[in-house]
Amino acid sequence: MNVNIEQLLHGYRRGHELLASSIDLPTRDADLVNRLSDLSGSLCDTPDFSPYLTIYPLSDAPYFALGRTWPDFYARRAGCVITHTLLVPMSAWQFMKDPHILEHLFRLPIEQSSTDSFRSSLLCPTKLSDDHPMISKFNRNSTIEFVQRYFGEGRRPIVWFGQANSTAVLWLLLRGLWPKLRASFSCCTYSLQPRILENQPFDVMFAPRESYPRFLKMNSEHIIDSAREPLIAKNRLDEWCQWWTKRLFSTSLFDKSSVSDLWNELDDDPTLIRRLFLVESLTNSSLTVPQEAVSVMDLVESMANSPNAGVTSKRRAVDNALRVASDADEAVDGLECLLFIEDRLRRPAYSTVEADFGCRITDVVSTYAVRFPELTIEAAKSITEAGKLGKTWFGHGLLRGLQMLMMDHPKKLNMVRLSSSLCAQILQFDYTVAIAYIGNCVPTNNSLKTREFLLSWVLCDCEDDIRRALRKTVLPFLGAEDADLLSALLKNLGTDDVADVLDILLENTETLSNDVIGNTVIQLISQKFQTATREWASQREQWNEAIAYVIAGTFAASEIGLRELITCKSVQSEYRPLVLAEFLQRARHERFPIWLKDTAQKNPCLIATLLQTDRIDTSLVARETENLLAEVSTIPIVESSEFLPLVLRAINQPYFDRLIDITVRTLIRSYVLGTITEEQTKFLQNYPKVASWIEDVRLQELRTVLIYNISESVFYWYNVWRWLENAPLALYKRKPAVLPDLIDSLVRIHCTEWSPALGYIWANVLKRSRSECKNRSTILTLCVQALEFAFKNTRFPLGAVVAESFYEVYVAVTESSVLPVETESLFRIFDWDKGKELRRKLVNAFTCSEWPPGDIAVAASNPHLLRKIFKRLIRRTGGESYCKRVLEDLSGRANPNAKLLADEIRQMLRYPDFFEAWD
């Protein structure tokens, strides 16, 4: 894969600055490169220097910088340098096999002005160089001392004086660094003074002895001098130090194949190489001590803590540890090692490989259990006392070994007595071993396998602790005919045991469906341990009919028990319908008791609870809801704010039609009585099923629902008007129409209680009928009905009603040569000019009432009719004054049509003598 390397050239122009580059760096990185590309310090008292290297990571750009610096003899002032810096992408730099291949990319420009070749990227060489750094001039003592200080003690920075071939040392050092350390490493091969990055010194600084005074502040432990004897004697050097020095400064490339997955995971801590050495040396040696094999796992974990890091080395370490544990000379050591191995495998670092070795641990432990059952049981003591026998591979291995003993050497199962906690857990996790163990603890041996002996033993001789363990083993095998054994096993049941017993019984729900078994559970658990049973259920994530049956049994089959169930906080709200259905089924037997019907008719929560079946899917709730709805006809269901949304969710239920019928009737009555708001009715009344009910219900039934008892209260009467105003569209489209009959019934009641608000409601009903009712006869009937009532009752505030209905009637009688039958009640037999008669009645009604004057103009609707009405008004006594009141009223209205009518009135008042045929 080709890697592009960017380059920079710094030198003297107007000071030390950038001369050419193939890339623009972020400001902070550009300043750093500019500073570090200059001479590393003053040349005072130091000899002339040869080209040197400066390497360091950049902080913002994803590059690693390598700069070679030469003296610039062509600069106009002394002490100037020119530096060629290579910027290697960090991803390539970290994993570069031999960084020395970059050596030949450094070059000086022919002259300072010839910089064009430095303005483009370079291609990284792919072939390793045959020109290896010379090692003949290395001071071996100082290299060993460097390894001890830097890699052994982790000291940074290191100042190395007098190393004759520092550049060659650096190239070899870079070749041996692992990726993360190489990415953070910084070094200068000719440091005339301490060099720093942005906030920390360089890791390694090679310096001439002449610059020693400039490093006096450095602690001696950070200084290496090639001319002096090393501070650490060779005979005191650790084996790893000699091993690493040899590999690091060898001309041959370091073979990392055996530890390659760990090599790439090592952090930038130099001292980690010691752990790598230990892992490699211990892995390659023939380990026989189990504890050493486990320590290799710990070392690998410390270097590869991530689950997906160092997977190959982790597998090798675990495999080696298991081999040593299985071949241990001492069984105690081998068993202890197996516990340690499992402990390590349970850690997050080994989560990727743990599943591959669990079965092997089980196999090795089972072998030990057969050969050394007493030692294996003792080794498992910590697991059994913590109750984790069935949750660990070691525990499973012990159980498997006991199974083998049961078949080949059953007498050895007596060893189980060595651990009382193990005894109980064996009964819990392996029924066959438990029976074999118990059979070997009594003289009759295998007779315990029979049901009769087991029942007798549980009833008479079994201790509570053993009975508790036997419940976990025997209860799953109970059948519908084992009610007597169930009762025996539940003997001396404690509150703390309730949850465990119910968990086991829940696994065999078919047994619970048996009446005898179910009644036994209700009597001995649900009714006796109400609180514990409910707390157990509250911890369950998913409920079913079996759980609901058990919980329903904790409530008495009475009105008090029902109220407690509906409000009980221990029963999760999403599963309360299921529990309630089980309760109803148990309480009603063949018929519903009277107290249950009374509760359903008084408490809205009963039906609402049954409808809350979002998270459960069961026919039981639907069946019991249908039965309950069939028993009652009136339920205050809509008085519960949560009920109406629940009705719509029940659309697919078999009882939905019955539910809608009760709901709509109660909805309308509750609205009339003022117990629910208009918003609640709107939520449901436009629903298709409600519309169907409005369309199909008989007029007499609808009138009964609406008009019943409204004479007792003006408030009820007013609410009926409001319901008509906002009624579903189906009411207005109904054929034959029912609105005229309903309104006729309403206007006969409370004739002295009319208010302006009620007049506007009636006007809105008329307006809706004109836009939504497709039958013209119905519209005309409603308008005639309203107009006739208003003309006869001018003392009521019905101006808005007349304004909404007049023009519809006027057009009907003036545009047809035959008088519409709907309008006959408005006229006498001798009224030949029906339009004139209507205009006369209109003017008389307004001038004799307190109706808003502007409504007379609104009633006229168009200018032509308005002119005729104006002429009739102006001729009356005080007519001009009334017309001005009409204008004043219209001018105060925001309706655009009112503005047009006001302009017409204003024009007619200005020229009142305009011609209009005599009226």
Side-chain angles (χ1 to χ4, degrees):
M1 184 173 127
N2 295 331
V3 177
N4 289 331
I5 298 177
E6 307 298 336
Q7 53 180 336
L8 309 170
L9 184 67
H10 289 79
Y12 181 82
R13 184 177 291 160
R14 292 178 298 276
H16 187 76
E17 61 183 43
L18 179 66
L19 303 179
S21 68
S22 65
I23 188 175
D24 292 329
L25 290 175
T27 303
R28 187 165 62 163
D29 288 342
D31 292 342
L32 178 66
V33 177
N34 189 62
R35 173 169 62 83
L36 295 179
S37 65
D38 202 356
L39 192 61
S40 61
S42 172
L43 285 171
C44 296
D45 301 325
T46 57
D48 293 339
F49 66 89
S50 299
Y52 67 87
L53 286 176
T54 306
I55 66 168
Y56 49 91
L58 300 183
S59 57
D60 293 338
Y63 293 100
F64 192 90
L66 298 91
R68 181 178 288 279
T69 302
W70 295 268
D72 190 353
F73 299 111
Y74 299 102
R76 289 176 291 176
R77 49 172 285 187
C80 293
V81 295
I82 188 164
T83 299
H84 181 204
T85 302
L86 303 177
L87 300 181
V88 184
M90 188 63 77
S91 57
W93 170 253
Q94 286 182 275
F95 300 98
M96 193 172 287
K97 192 171 185 180
D98 187 2
H100 188 245
I101 61 176
L102 302 174
E103 170 75 23
H104 300 293
L105 295 182
F106 291 115
R107 67 190 189 284
L108 274 169
I110 298 174
E111 54 185 35
Q112 197 178 74
S113 60
S114 177
T115 61
D116 291 344
S117 63
F118 294 89
R119 301 182 188 279
S120 57
S121 303
L122 300 173
L123 193 61
C124 180
T126 56
K127 184 178 180 181
L128 295 179
S129 173
D130 295 330
D131 183 16
H132 296 290
M134 296 296 294
I135 64 171
S136 57
K137 296 181 180 181
F138 285 6
N139 185 320
R140 296 294 179 178
N141 292 334
S142 60
T143 55
I144 292 177
E145 184 176 4
F146 167 75
V147 170
Q148 179 65 33
R149 294 284 180 82
Y150 185 71
F151 291 99
E153 301 169 7
R155 299 194 181 278
R156 289 186 279 192
I158 296 292
V159 183
W160 195 336
F161 290 103
Q163 177 53 252
N165 201 346
S166 58
T167 300
V169 172
L170 176 58
W171 284 123
L172 289 174
L173 181 60
L174 289 173
R175 187 174 66 182
L177 298 182
W178 50 91
K180 291 181 182 177
L181 181 57
R182 185 189 289 176
S184 64
F185 187 72
S186 56
C187 178
C188 178
T189 62
Y190 189 72
S191 299
L192 297 174
Q193 63 184 18
R195 307 211 73 181
I196 61 172
L197 292 171
E198 292 181 325
N199 52 11
Q200 63 184 25
F202 273 44
D203 288 331
V204 179
M205 291 173 277
F206 293 93
R209 289 192 178 85
E210 290 80 5
S211 64
Y212 187 85
R214 300 175 184 173
F215 295 90
L216 289 177
K217 293 184 178 180
M218 290 280 187
N219 191 297
S220 61
E221 294 176 344
H222 292 266
I223 294 176
I224 298 174
D225 192 342
S226 299
R228 73 181 184 191
E229 287 296 323
L231 299 178
I232 304 172
K234 288 185 179 180
N235 58 2
R236 291 175 52 199
L237 288 175
D238 294 332
E239 182 183 352
W240 76 267
C241 187
Q242 299 184 50
W243 166 82
W244 183 233
T245 303
K246 182 179 179 181
R247 289 197 173 185
L248 194 60
F249 297 107
S250 171
T251 55
S252 59
L253 290 175
F254 172 31
D255 182 13
K256 301 182 285 290
S257 59
S258 61
V259 290
S260 59
D261 57 336
L262 290 179
W263 182 264
N264 293 334
E265 296 298 332
L266 293 180
D267 228 337
D268 62 355
D269 180 4
T271 63
L272 291 177
I273 194 64
R274 300 181 63 178
R275 302 182 194 177
L276 192 68
F277 166 77
L278 287 174
V279 170
E280 187 176 45
S281 60
L282 290 174
T283 303
N284 293 334
S285 64
S286 298
L287 291 176
T288 58
V289 180
Q291 288 76 7
E292 289 184 354
V294 175
S295 68
V296 175
M297 293 180 64
D298 292 335
L299 286 170
V300 172
E301 178 184 3
S302 68
M303 292 182 286
N305 197 39
S306 172
N308 295 319
V311 174
T312 301
S313 293
K314 289 175 182 175
R315 291 183 186 277
R316 189 184 304 115
V318 178
D319 183 76
N320 194 39
L322 284 172
R323 177 185 58 78
V324 174
S326 60
D327 297 338
D329 295 332
E330 297 292 335
V332 174
D333 293 338
L335 289 167
E336 183 183 43
C337 183
L338 289 168
L339 287 171
F340 288 153
I341 293 171
E342 177 161 357
D343 174 68
R344 271 59 173 179
L345 285 174
R346 297 291 184 182
R347 297 175 182 176
Y350 281 94
S351 60
T352 303
V353 302
E354 64 170 318
D356 299 335
F357 295 97
C359 292
R360 286 186 56 186
I361 293 177
T362 300
D363 292 339
V364 176
V365 173
S366 64
T367 302
Y368 272 112
V370 172
R371 296 175 58 198
F372 311 102
E374 183 175 352
L375 295 178
T376 308
I377 291 172
E378 181 63 26
K381 187 175 181 180
S382 60
I383 296 176
T384 55
E385 289 181 350
K388 297 181 179 179
L389 183 67
K391 301 177 182 178
T392 62
W393 295 312
F394 194 101
H396 282 294
L398 175 57
L399 288 173
R400 184 184 297 177
L402 294 177
Q403 289 174 343
M404 296 177 182
L405 286 176
M406 178 190 69
M407 297 179 66
D408 300 329
H409 308 284
K411 293 295 183 181
K412 289 187 177 181
L413 286 178
N414 289 327
M415 292 291 182
V416 173
R417 285 185 169 183
L418 295 173
S419 173
S420 58
S421 57
L422 174 60
C423 174
Q425 290 183 68
I426 290 177
L427 293 171
Q428 175 183 355
F429 291 107
D430 196 312
Y431 176 81
T432 57
V433 172
I435 292 298
Y437 162 67
I438 296 170
N440 281 280
C441 292
V442 295
T444 51
N445 199 6
N446 292 331
S447 62
L448 187 61
K449 294 182 180 180
T450 65
R451 182 182 182 281
E452 291 76 14
F453 185 86
L454 180 59
L455 176 60
S456 174
W457 187 77
V458 172
L459 283 172
C460 303
D461 304 321
C462 184
E463 297 178 357
D464 288 343
D465 290 340
I466 300 298
R467 183 183 287 106
R468 185 179 296 110
L470 281 174
R471 290 185 194 119
K472 298 179 181 180
T473 305
V474 178
L475 287 180
F477 299 91
L478 292 182
E481 69 284 354
D482 293 325
D484 55 346
L485 184 55
L486 174 62
S487 298
L489 289 169
L490 294 181
K491 180 182 178 182
N492 297 335
L493 183 69
T495 303
D496 295 337
D497 301 323
V498 169
D500 292 335
V501 171
L502 289 175
D503 282 338
I504 298 171
L505 290 173
L506 183 63
E507 295 176 3
N508 191 7
T509 55
E510 291 183 2
T511 302
L512 279 178
S513 63
N514 177 268
D515 290 340
V516 179
I517 294 290
N519 289 333
T520 302
V521 172
I522 295 297
Q523 293 173 10
L524 299 181
I525 300 181
S526 299
Q527 295 179 355
K528 191 174 180 181
F529 303 97
Q530 295 179 350
T531 302
T533 303
R534 295 172 190 174
E535 288 179 355
W536 162 79
S538 66
Q539 304 299 320
R540 307 290 301 188
E541 293 183 359
Q542 295 292 333
W543 286 31
N544 55 26
E545 292 188 13
I547 297 178
Y549 175 80
V550 172
I551 300 305
T554 65
F555 300 93
S558 63
E559 185 177 358
I560 296 176
L562 178 58
R563 287 201 300 267
E564 184 184 3
L565 189 160
I566 293 175
T567 59
C568 181
K569 294 182 179 179
S570 298
V571 179
Q572 299 180 30
S573 58
E574 59 266 38
Y575 298 116
R576 190 172 284 121
L578 188 55
V579 178
L580 179 56
E582 288 285 356
F583 177 91
L584 294 176
Q585 181 176 246
R586 186 165 61 91
R588 68 178 174 85
H589 297 294
E590 296 181 1
R591 299 183 59 185
F592 278 87
I594 296 175
W595 62 264
L596 184 55
K597 295 181 182 179
D598 290 341
T599 302
Q601 294 180 136
K602 296 175 182 177
N603 192 340
C605 294
L606 183 55
I607 292 294
T609 300
L610 289 170
L611 296 180
Q612 295 172 355
T613 55
D614 292 349
R615 292 187 55 184
I616 59 176
D617 182 18
T618 172
S619 59
L620 175 64
V621 177
R623 185 172 66 250
E624 291 304 316
T625 305
E626 188 172 16
N627 291 336
L628 184 60
L629 290 174
E631 292 286 331
V632 296
S633 58
T634 58
I635 306 175
I637 43 183
V638 292
E639 295 179 12
S640 173
S641 60
E642 64 183 11
F643 178 78
L644 293 180
L646 296 175
V647 171
L648 300 186
R649 293 186 217 165
I651 186 171
N652 295 321
Q653 298 295 343
Y655 54 78
F656 184 69
D657 289 339
R658 174 65 177 166
L659 178 64
I660 280 290
D661 182 73
I662 297 176
T663 299
V664 176
R665 292 173 184 272
T666 312
L667 179 76
I668 296 174
R669 285 304 303 157
S670 297
Y671 179 80
V672 171
L673 297 177
T675 57
I676 63 172
T677 65
E678 184 175 321
E679 288 300 319
Q680 289 175 289
T681 63
K682 287 182 178 179
F683 181 85
L684 190 65
Q685 67 183 10
N686 289 321
Y687 191 71
K689 282 286 185 179
V690 176
S692 298
W693 187 91
I694 295 291
E695 291 174 356
D696 299 333
V697 66
R698 292 185 303 162
L699 172 61
Q700 185 58 40
E701 292 181 13
L702 183 59
R703 183 188 289 116
T704 301
V705 173
L706 280 170
I707 312 299
Y708 181 74
N709 281 347
I710 65 170
S711 60
E712 298 176 3
S713 170
V714 177
F715 176 72
Y716 298 164
W717 179 62
Y718 180 79
N719 284 345
V720 175
W721 279 105
R722 286 181 56 203
W723 186 84
L724 290 179
E725 179 187 18
N726 299 295
L729 181 62
L731 183 69
Y732 285 80
K733 290 186 174 182
R734 178 162 170 167
K735 293 181 182 179
V738 296
L739 267 175
D741 295 274
L742 295 175
I743 293 176
D744 185 67
S745 299
L746 285 175
V747 297
R748 298 175 185 272
I749 306 172
H750 298 294
C751 292
T752 61
E753 303 294 340
W754 286 86
S755 64
L758 196 57
Y760 285 115
I761 290 176
W762 194 351
N764 287 336
V765 171
L766 295 172
K767 185 182 294 185
R768 277 195 65 187
S769 67
R770 287 167 55 196
S771 63
E772 297 177 359
C773 182
K774 303 305 181 182
N775 191 315
R776 302 307 303 172
S777 175
T778 300
I779 296 172
L780 188 57
T781 299
L782 288 170
C783 290
V784 169
Q785 180 187 45
L787 201 59
E788 186 176 15
F789 183 84
F791 285 167
K792 292 179 180 179
N793 298 277
T794 54
R795 65 187 185 280
F796 299 156
L798 300 173
V801 176
V802 176
E804 195 63 38
S805 59
F806 178 83
Y807 190 72
E808 186 75 28
V809 178
Y810 185 86
V811 170
V813 301
T814 57
E815 291 186 356
S816 174
S817 59
V818 178
L819 182 66
V821 66
E822 296 86 352
T823 64
E824 291 178 351
S825 60
L826 283 171
F827 305 103
R828 295 169 298 178
I829 192 170
F830 298 106
D831 291 335
W832 303 108
D833 190 343
K834 310 302 183 189
K836 177 180 177 180
E837 183 62 17
L838 280 178
R839 294 193 295 273
R840 184 185 66 80
K841 288 185 176 183
L842 179 68
V843 171
N844 288 341
F846 271 89
T847 55
C848 295
S849 68
E850 296 297 325
W851 297 346
D855 283 345
I856 194 171
V858 176
S861 184
N862 66 54
H864 175 70
L865 180 55
L866 184 59
R867 291 165 67 90
K868 289 183 175 294
I869 292 174
F870 179 86
K871 278 293 186 180
R872 180 171 288 276
L873 271 174
I874 203 70
R875 292 197 305 269
R876 298 177 69 91
T877 303
E880 183 177 357
S881 174
Y882 191 90
C883 289
K884 290 179 179 179
R885 287 169 58 200
V886 172
L887 177 61
E888 181 181 358
D889 187 7
L890 290 173
S891 300
R893 301 189 185 189
N895 191 321
N897 188 46
K899 186 177 183 303
L900 296 175
L901 294 172
D903 291 339
E904 288 291 331
I905 296 291
R906 190 177 293 109
Q907 182 69 18
M908 287 186 286
L909 284 172
R910 190 176 299 161
Y911 304 105
D913 295 327
F914 64 88
F915 174 78
E916 181 64 35
W918 178 254
D919 188 9

